[in-house]
Amino acid sequence: WARVLNISCPQWLILMAVNDLNGGKGVSVGEVSAKLHVDPSFVTTQTKNLEKSGFVHRVASKEDARVVLMSLTDKAHKRLAKLYSRQ
């Protein structure tokens, strides 16, 4: 599925983690890194690439500017829906 979206396998896992963990307010880098058992700096680097590709929206938390909250973009939701329909 990652190849179909033209992203790496780790980026695919990050997309799935953001999708699973997001409760409507966004999910933090720390939450994603804990779920995937990877370093937060890796998640940060990869989500910046996903943001450039239009799959992830990143915004600083209103409560703590050090925390970055992520959510999937409309483009990501549409592409995932197409993949799920092919499944």
Side-chain angles (χ1 to χ4, degrees), residues 22-33:
N22 189 359
K25 296 181 181 180
V27 59
S28 72
V29 169
E31 291 173 290
V32 172
S33 68

Side-chain angles (χ1 to χ4, degrees), residues 30-83:
E31 291 173 290
V32 172
S33 68
K35 181 173 180 85
L36 299 178
H37 305 286
V38 296
D39 193 82
S41 63
F42 177 76
V43 174
T44 298
T45 302
Q46 295 304 311
T47 55
K48 284 181 180 179
N49 292 333
L50 288 168
E51 184 178 38
K52 288 178 187 173
S53 298
F55 289 109
V56 172
H57 179 69
R58 296 167 30 94
V59 63
S61 169
K62 293 178 183 176
E63 295 153 7
D64 186 349
R66 297 172 295 174
V67 176
V68 174
L69 298 176
M70 303 173 293
S71 58
L72 298 183
T73 63
D74 288 338
K75 174 184 174 178
H77 285 292
K78 288 176 185 175
R79 298 284 298 271
L80 290 176
K82 284 183 182 179
L83 288 179

